[in-house]
Amino acid sequence: MWDLLSRTLILGLLFISGACKESPDDDVPPTTTIIDILSSNANFSKILLSLQRSDLVDYVNELGNVTFLAPLNTAFSEGQLYQSLSINDVSRHMIDQPVNADEVRGLEVYRTLLFNTSVLSGGVQRPILLDNRDDLFLADNAIVTEQYDVRSSNSAVFGISSFLERRKSACEFFADIAHADPVFAEYQSLGRLFSDNDFCATRKITNVTFLVPSDASVGLNEIELNYLNTDQGLEDKTRLLESHVVSGIWGGRLDPVHTKTLTNQKVRLSSNSEGSNVRVQNTSSTFANYLLSDGIVHLYDALPLENSIPVFTPRKYLLGLGLASVVDQLDFHKLSGLIDDRNVSQTIFVTESAESTESKSSLLYHFVDGAVEFDRDELLTTKYCSSSVLGHCQKLKVLKRGDQVSLNNNVFVTSSKIPVGNTYIYFVDEDLPLPLPFQHAVSPFLRCAKSIKLLHDFGLLKFHNNGGLGYTVFLPNADAWRDLDLVLDYLYANRDVMLEILGNLVVNGLIYDDFRGSATLTTLLDKPLEVETDSDTLFINGTAVDVSIESEVLFDKGVAHPIGSLVFPATVQIGVPELLSTVDGEEFLRVLQLLRLDHLLYEDYSFIVPSSRSMRLENFTSELSNLARLEKFARLHILPAGGMEKIIECNDTIPTLLENVHLSCRELTSGISMLRVREGNDHEVRVLRHGLAISSTDTATGILLVDRSINPDWLSASAGPIHLHLPFVALLVGVVIGMLLLAVVASCCLVCSVGKHTSVSSETAPLLRAHERLENHAPPSPPPPNESESYSNYYSTHSSSRPIDVDQP
């Protein structure tokens, strides 16, 4: 029994002893909460009061495994005791894990309990950046001053100097990137693309890392940016932007991590410099760890990812220039190949507004082979290649005058070149019309109306298919036809010759101003035509013609050249006899026949032809009995070789067939030439018309039609004023002797007049002298009848002015 009691006592003691050993130690602190930490520190009195007034004490006490970034009293405004808070305000200051400040090295990204709306399930936790560098611990922009552990909830409390600022979302940030921190000034391009057309908001891009390259490295100009913001450029824009976005928020200190962009391109992310530099592949950031409420931004001066920029083509540039209608028309006419290959060397001309529907031909005429710089006048080859008469691609004429460039004379280039690949795009002030038919293409300012009318009258403007050779038309201008004068009269009278000449002006084949070398072509009448160039001068059948790019005319079936002289075929010969038949020269011809000088008509002589009527009036006809005088007359009207050229030049000495007798030419201001006998008197004849023979010789011969005959009598000195031809010295001596004689006579007269006393005549009396009545003091004689006493009676009789009557009231 005792043993039982003793054993019971021992077990009781052991129980009491064991119970005493399991009691808590007196040195262990009591259990605490986040609220307890705040309550025990006077520096947190205002945030504690704010939580109490906002009824959030229980919410905070229920949190575990968190870090509360508690604003100190200094974070409140002066005089502010508390601040109304929401759960979101508190969640923004709660990191979703306990953080030991001693374990934070450099920059590290954490997440808070604040969730943003997102396409992701559960949303996106707002990131926060802790920076423990340079002996300064920062939470975002707030300074962390002290740390307290919360044992009961495995949490921590950090005192911070200010409330955490509200962060913008990614879409809000990019929408306002132009006004963001100055560090983003050179990183606008991609930012604009994210915000334009609500791209970011539409796709709800959240919980991502943005790898933003600089504008210089992206190299997108305004045209390209405009294209990317069109509906047609949406695919390229999406690929470009998503190539620079990585899923997840990656920043601060990173161990190398392999992840993917939104386009599934693999990337490697790492960091150095304690997390302040985030590397993508091998590209280092220039600025990193810019936090957003649902993402993080890193900036790069180079493209971190290859092949992320779209390849731009002429199509995309036309869309970027706002010319979607042009693109639609090209697609409609199945000409997409012209704008989808950036490697094609070409030039495109566009207008700022292209609303009207263009034909396929017109569209092709706006495309030119080669990238044109506009540094000279030139002909460009367009992509409008007619399959009818014109057997090659149509040309486009470029004229450069200073800084102004014109196309086909009347369309002007209004912009500098816009390069894309090997293609240049230029704006022009109006649409480029296709070359017109011949009659409409030739401007009236070229003064070729006579040529066009003659070609039309002879049926030479019907340009049928000539096997794809095209046509070249040479158009003599008004001056060329006027210079023909009598030759033109002959041509009008001989239509077959006129047809032969006109047919020589229309050529099968294309001769542009840039033609070089030589070629044998055929005319519209199947006659051969030799064309060659020498030192930029064009020769047609040996005749030099002046053609220029400025005056040449492009028409639908070829090219036309206004020229200043008529080109005659070798088969056309128009001599002096033919020209003589165009004027009233029958009597002159009979005189030549009478004197047997008519054979000279077929040699290198030219003739001055008076009309038959004027010859009859002056009695120079074949019936004249005085053959010697008639022969003088005839020879005065015949010019030897070279004489016609001298008359054309209006020389002062022009030889005639009459020995030692020359003619002299004088040109009036009206342009009319006057001829006289140089060895005769001053009688002149007027040249009315002229005509130059058309022949294969180089000597100029022809006829001159004058208003009257050159009279041999003009050679006689008695028939008119005498012309002395004295040497200069003799003339000077005569002048001196005459002056001496005049001086002697004058001296004699002076001596005689001074030595002889004569009364003063009225002519030598002084103009002003004392009046007779005033000198003699005699009473005045009465005025004659009907004449009043006036001061005019005393006025000088030598005055040319009428006196003013001062006696009138």
Side-chain angles (χ1 to χ4, degrees):
M1 184 68 179
W2 174 251
D3 290 338
L4 180 59
L5 291 172
S6 61
R7 289 180 178 180
T8 303
L9 180 61
I10 292 172
L11 290 174
L13 291 173
L14 289 172
F15 177 78
I16 294 171
S17 174
C20 291
K21 288 182 180 179
E22 292 175 2
S23 63
D25 189 77
D26 293 337
D27 295 332
V28 177
T31 300
T32 58
T33 64
I34 293 177
I35 298 299
D36 292 335
I37 296 297
L38 299 179
S39 301
S40 64
N41 193 324
N43 289 327
F44 294 121
S45 62
K46 291 186 178 182
I47 187 64
L48 179 61
L49 181 59
S50 297
L51 291 173
Q52 292 172 343
R53 292 295 182 92
S54 302
D55 197 21
L56 294 173
V57 172
D58 292 340
Y59 168 74
V60 172
N61 271 335
E62 290 174 358
L63 298 175
N65 293 314
V66 296
T67 299
F68 182 34
L69 304 175
L72 298 169
N73 289 344
T74 55
F76 290 82
S77 302
E78 185 178 355
Q80 184 181 18
L81 297 178
Y82 69 93
Q83 180 174 320
S84 297
L85 301 174
S86 65
I87 291 181
N88 286 342
D89 294 330
V90 175
S91 299
R92 184 182 296 112
H93 290 74
M94 293 287 182
I95 299 176
D96 65 351
Q97 65 184 67
V99 177
N100 187 342
D102 296 332
E103 295 177 358
V104 177
R105 300 185 304 278
L107 287 86
E108 295 190 12
V109 177
Y110 292 86
R111 298 179 185 274
T112 68
L113 295 183
L114 177 61
F115 281 80
N116 297 310
T117 303
S118 172
V119 292
L120 303 175
S121 58
V124 176
Q125 291 176 255
R126 179 189 183 277
I128 189 171
L129 186 68
L130 299 184
D131 183 358
N132 193 11
R133 297 177 298 169
D134 303 327
D135 298 327
L136 187 65
F137 192 8
L138 297 174
D140 278 358
N141 295 323
I143 299 174
V144 179
T145 59
E146 48 193 326
Q147 174 182 346
Y148 303 92
D149 294 332
V150 182
R151 292 180 178 274
S152 63
S153 60
N154 192 28
S155 299
V157 175
F158 287 176
I160 59 176
S161 61
S162 62
F163 282 89
L164 299 179
E165 296 179 358
R166 178 186 176 276
R167 294 279 184 182
K168 292 181 178 180
S169 68
C171 295
E172 290 174 334
F173 168 74
F174 286 118
D176 198 40
I177 192 171
H179 305 95
D181 192 285
V183 74
F184 293 97
E186 298 178 0
Y187 300 84
Q188 300 284 313
S189 295
L190 261 63
R192 284 175 51 188
L193 291 174
F194 272 114
S195 62
D196 287 342
N197 299 337
D198 295 328
F199 180 87
C200 179
T202 302
R203 281 158 180 74
K204 298 181 180 178
I205 299 177
T206 57
N207 193 42
V208 291
T209 299
F210 296 95
L211 313 174
V212 181
S214 67
D215 298 342
S217 63
V218 174
L220 295 176
N221 57 42
E222 285 298 320
I223 299 173
E224 293 164 345
L225 290 171
N226 290 340
Y227 158 72
L228 293 172
N229 284 320
T230 62
D231 293 340
Q232 298 88 338
L234 182 58
E235 183 178 346
D236 280 333
K237 177 178 177 177
T238 301
R239 187 182 303 109
L240 168 63
L241 296 181
E242 291 186 349
S243 295
H244 293 85
V245 179
V246 177
S247 297
I249 299 175
W250 304 94
R253 291 179 67 250
L254 288 173
D255 292 329
V257 58
H258 293 274
T259 182
K260 292 182 179 181
T261 67
L262 296 186
T263 55
N264 289 323
Q265 183 178 0
K266 295 180 179 179
V267 293
R268 179 179 181 272
L269 302 178
S270 60
S271 67
N272 53 27
S273 301
E274 296 183 296
S276 62
N277 184 4
V278 177
R279 295 172 59 86
V280 179
Q281 314 296 51
N282 295 317
T283 303
S284 298
S285 63
T286 54
F287 181 83
N289 303 309
Y290 188 88
L291 282 180
L292 306 172
S293 66
D294 52 359
I296 190 170
V297 179
H298 308 300
L299 305 180
Y300 299 86
D301 276 348
L303 284 172
L305 301 175
E306 297 180 356
N307 304 320
S308 58
I309 303 299
V311 175
F312 288 96
T313 62
R315 171 190 292 273
K316 296 176 182 179
Y317 261 55
L318 291 175
L319 291 171
L321 291 169
L323 300 174
S325 60
V326 175
V327 175
D328 292 340
Q329 291 170 29
L330 289 167
D331 290 340
F332 176 78
H333 290 292
K334 299 181 180 179
L335 298 175
S336 304
L338 295 175
I339 55 174
D340 286 333
D341 187 353
R342 63 181 277 113
N343 296 318
V344 175
S345 180
Q346 63 181 351
T347 299
I348 307 174
F349 298 106
V350 295
T351 57
E352 293 186 1
S353 59
E355 302 296 336
S356 60
T357 302
E358 300 286 350
S359 66
K360 182 176 182 178
S361 300
S362 181
L363 288 170
L364 288 171
Y365 195 60
H366 288 73
F367 287 78
V368 170
D369 290 336
V372 182
E373 294 282 358
F374 295 136
D375 52 2
R376 57 190 174 89
D377 294 350
E378 60 181 318
L379 283 175
L380 308 177
T381 302
T382 70
K383 296 191 177 183
Y384 169 47
C385 305
S386 173
S387 59
S388 57
V389 175
L390 192 66
H392 78 307
C393 297
Q394 185 61 263
K395 298 286 186 177
L396 186 66
K397 181 167 62 173
V398 173
L399 296 179
K400 181 176 176 60
R401 298 294 177 267
D403 295 332
Q404 191 176 68
V405 177
S406 66
L407 308 177
N408 289 351
N409 294 102
N410 56 3
V411 176
F412 293 91
V413 177
T414 58
S415 73
S416 56
K417 66 182 179 184
I418 303 172
V420 48
N422 292 331
T423 295
Y424 288 166
I425 300 174
Y426 291 93
F427 276 103
V428 291
D429 63 343
E430 59 181 274
D431 200 25
L432 271 172
L434 289 171
L436 299 171
F438 176 80
Q439 292 91 331
H440 303 292
V442 181
S443 169
F445 294 105
L446 297 176
R447 302 167 58 240
C448 298
K450 181 184 287 291
S451 294
I452 296 174
K453 184 178 186 307
L454 288 171
L455 289 170
H456 178 269
D457 291 345
F458 280 82
L460 298 177
L461 294 182
K462 297 178 181 178
F463 300 111
H464 302 293
N465 195 323
N466 60 354
L469 297 176
Y471 290 93
T472 300
V473 183
F474 295 100
L475 293 173
N477 59 24
D479 295 334
W481 292 109
R482 185 180 61 249
D483 291 344
L484 291 179
D485 204 349
L486 295 175
V487 175
L488 184 57
D489 289 355
Y490 176 80
L491 295 178
Y492 280 140
N494 297 269
R495 291 181 58 85
D496 55 338
V497 181
M498 177 71 87
L499 176 61
E500 192 171 354
I501 292 173
L502 294 175
N504 195 59
L505 300 176
V506 184
V507 183
N508 291 306
L510 296 166
I511 304 170
Y512 293 101
D513 80 289
D514 57 357
F515 176 84
R516 296 294 178 268
S518 60
T520 301
L521 307 175
T522 60
T523 68
L524 204 60
L525 302 179
D526 263 345
K527 303 291 183 180
L529 188 82
E530 300 292 335
V531 182
E532 62 179 344
T533 53
D534 182 16
S535 301
D536 295 333
T537 301
L538 183 67
F539 290 88
I540 302 174
N541 285 345
T543 301
V545 295
D546 184 19
V547 298
S548 68
I549 187 173
E550 187 169 4
S551 62
E552 72 180 336
V553 178
L554 304 176
F555 65 97
D556 59 344
K557 295 179 176 62
V559 60
H561 296 283
I563 55 178
S565 59
L566 196 63
V567 179
F568 292 89
T571 55
V572 173
Q573 300 287 322
I574 304 174
V576 172
E578 287 77 16
L579 295 176
L580 195 57
S581 67
T582 63
V583 298
D584 180 18
E586 294 83 359
E587 196 62 46
F588 182 76
L589 180 59
R590 282 197 292 268
V591 169
L592 294 179
Q593 292 170 345
L594 175 66
L595 299 174
R596 297 184 180 180
L597 297 175
D598 54 322
H599 65 92
L600 299 179
L601 295 172
Y602 303 94
E603 300 178 21
D604 293 338
Y605 291 88
S606 299
F607 299 84
I608 300 173
V609 182
S611 66
S612 297
R613 182 174 180 275
S614 67
M615 289 179 63
R616 285 192 290 269
L617 289 174
E618 299 184 51
N619 199 25
F620 292 108
T621 65
S622 57
E623 289 80 15
L624 185 65
S625 57
N626 190 348
L627 291 180
R629 185 169 182 268
L630 192 60
E631 185 170 0
K632 278 188 177 183
F633 161 81
R635 290 183 179 274
L636 265 176
H637 291 76
I638 301 175
L639 307 178
M644 179 60 79
E645 294 176 350
K646 292 181 180 294
I647 286 187
I648 293 174
E649 297 170 0
C650 205
N651 285 354
D652 188 50
T653 304
I654 303 165
T656 67
L657 205 59
L658 188 59
E659 188 175 359
N660 297 326
V661 177
H662 303 78
L663 301 179
S664 179
C665 178
R666 179 172 67 93
E667 187 173 3
L668 304 180
T669 56
S670 60
I672 295 174
S673 296
M674 307 295 291
L675 299 177
R676 69 176 180 86
V677 180
R678 182 174 176 81
E679 290 80 11
N681 55 32
D682 285 340
H683 288 290
E684 292 181 321
V685 298
R686 180 171 57 180
V687 177
L688 300 178
R689 301 184 65 184
H690 74 279
L692 294 178
I694 308 301
S695 64
S696 58
T697 63
D698 295 332
T699 304
T701 61
I703 67 172
L704 295 171
L705 182 63
V706 292
D707 61 344
R708 58 183 296 193
S709 303
I710 302 175
N711 197 325
D713 294 340
W714 296 347
L715 291 169
S716 172
S718 62
I722 298 175
H723 298 273
L724 296 179
H725 300 276
L726 298 178
F728 175 74
V729 175
L731 181 63
L732 183 61
V733 171
V735 171
V736 172
I737 293 173
M739 292 179 65
L740 289 175
L741 291 174
L742 182 61
V744 171
V745 172
S747 299
C748 293
C749 293
L750 181 60
V751 170
C752 294
S753 62
V754 171
K756 183 178 181 181
H757 180 73
T758 58
S759 60
V760 180
S761 66
S762 62
E763 292 185 1
T764 59
L767 292 177
L768 295 175
R769 63 182 180 180
H771 196 272
E772 198 172 14
R773 284 186 282 177
L774 296 177
E775 291 179 352
N776 300 333
H777 305 283
S781 59
N786 302 325
E787 183 176 348
S788 62
E789 182 73 19
S790 173
Y791 177 76
S792 61
N793 296 325
Y794 310 123
Y795 201 77
S796 172
T797 59
H798 294 269
S799 175
S800 61
S801 301
R802 184 178 182 84
I804 301 174
D805 191 357
V806 297
D807 296 330
Q808 295 294 326

